[in-house]
C-alpha cells in the first residue's frame, strides 16, 4: 500500500544511476512502476509505463513470464477503469498464458502475487476449486477488501450451482 513511497524509491534509483540502461528496462522495476501508478489511480501513467516496459522486455528466458505480468496489469487497468467489469477476452487471454502448474497458486507466480486474478477468474467462471485455494490462502487476512472477497468466495463455494 506504500505506492507513493515505492515510486519515490524508484525515482531516486533512476536519478542515482541515470546512465544504467539495464535498470530502465528491468522487469521488476517495470512491473512495480505500472502497479504503483495503477493503484494510485494514475491510469494514463500506468498505461504509458505498460507500453514502455512491454517494448523493453526482450529477454527470451523471462519473456513468457513478463508477457503474463503485463497482461495481468493491462487486465486490471481495464477492470478497475470499467467499474470492475470483466473483459472476458482479456481474462481468457491472461489465464491461458499462465502455466497450469501455477493456476491454483497465483500468490507466487515467479515471486509475483497475482492472486487477485484467482478471485476474479474463480467468481467469473464459478470455479469453486480455484476459489477454495484462494480462500485457504486469504482466510487470515484482515483488510476489508480481502475479507469481503473471501466472504463472496465462500458464498459461491457453498452455493448449489
Amino acid at each position: 500500500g506504500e505506492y507513493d513511497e515505492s515510486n519515490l524509491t524508484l525515482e531516486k534509483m533512476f536519478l542515482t544511476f541515470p546512465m544504467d540502461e539495464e535498470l530502465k528496462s528491468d522487469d521488476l522495476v517495470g512491473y512495480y512502476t505500472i502497479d504503483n501508478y495503477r493503484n494510485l489511480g494514475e491510469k494514463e501513467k500506468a498505461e504509458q509505463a505498460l507500453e514502455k516496459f512491454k517494448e523493453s522486455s526482450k529477454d527470451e528466458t523471462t519473456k513468457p513470464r513478463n508477457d503474463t505480468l503485463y497482461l495481468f496489469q493491462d487486465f486490471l487497468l481495464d477492470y478497475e477503469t470499467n467499474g470492475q467489469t470483466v473483459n472476458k477476452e482479456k481474462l481468457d487471454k491472461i489465464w491461458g498464458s499462465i502455466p497450469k502448474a501455477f493456476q491454483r497458486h497465483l500468490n507466487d507466480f515467479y515471486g509475483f502475487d497475482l492472486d487477485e486474478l484467482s478471485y476474479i477468474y474463480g467468481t467469473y467462471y464459478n470455479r469453486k476449486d480455484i476459489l477454495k485455494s484462494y480462500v485457504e490462502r486469504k482466510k487470515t487476512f484482515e483488510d476489508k477488501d480481502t475479507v469481503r472477497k473471501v466472504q463472496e468466495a465462500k458464498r459461491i463455494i457453498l452455493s448449489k450451482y
Side-chain angles (χ1 to χ4, degrees):
E2 301 291 332
Y3 306 113
D4 282 322
E5 185 66 31
S6 177
N7 276 343
L8 288 173
T9 301
L10 291 171
E11 191 175 315
K12 284 180 192 175
M13 203 168 46
F14 289 137
L15 291 172
T16 304
F17 305 102
M19 305 303 281
D20 189 338
E21 292 302 316
E22 197 172 306
L23 179 64
K24 292 177 184 173
S25 66
D26 183 84
D27 302 326
L28 289 170
V29 171
Y31 178 82
Y32 286 111
T33 298
I34 298 161
D35 195 60
N36 289 342
Y37 285 136
R38 184 183 54 75
N39 280 294
L40 290 168
E42 297 182 33
K43 182 182 184 220
E44 191 173 305
K45 287 182 179 180
E47 288 173 339
Q48 289 170 353
L50 178 64
E51 288 309 310
K52 174 187 168 196
F53 286 102
K54 276 197 314 194
E55 289 173 14
S56 68
S57 179
K58 302 207 183 335
D59 182 348
E60 289 303 314
T61 58
T62 59
K63 189 161 178 25
R65 177 203 71 185
N66 294 346
D67 288 348
T68 298
L69 293 174
Y70 296 138
L71 284 170
F72 176 64
Q73 287 293 343
D74 182 51
F75 171 80
L76 287 179
L77 275 165
D78 184 66
Y79 179 73
E80 292 167 0
T81 301
N82 294 315
Q84 297 189 340
T85 301
V86 172
N87 178 323
K88 182 184 182 314
E89 183 180 314
K90 286 185 177 186
L91 180 62
D92 292 345
K93 186 173 182 180
I94 185 172
W95 194 261
S97 75
I98 299 169
K100 296 244 185 262
F102 284 102
Q103 289 180 347
R104 291 191 191 229
H105 304 286
L106 289 177
N107 61 321
D108 186 15
F109 180 75
Y110 297 106
F112 293 86
D113 184 356
L114 309 185
D115 224 6
E116 177 73 8
L117 187 61
S118 298
Y119 172 76
I120 295 168
Y121 190 86
T123 55
Y124 188 79
Y125 283 109
N126 198 30
R127 289 283 306 270
K128 295 178 182 191
D129 56 331
I130 293 168
L131 290 173
K132 285 178 185 176
S133 296
Y134 176 82
V135 167
E136 188 59 33
R137 285 188 301 276
K138 301 291 187 177
K139 67 183 177 187
T140 60
F141 283 57
E142 296 179 1
D143 66 281
K144 287 181 183 178
D145 191 46
T146 303
V147 169
R148 179 190 59 76
K149 289 175 183 174
V150 166
Q151 289 172 343
E152 176 64 14
K154 285 180 178 180
R155 187 190 64 71
I156 292 169
I157 292 165
L158 296 173
S159 72
K160 186 175 181 177
Y161 300 102

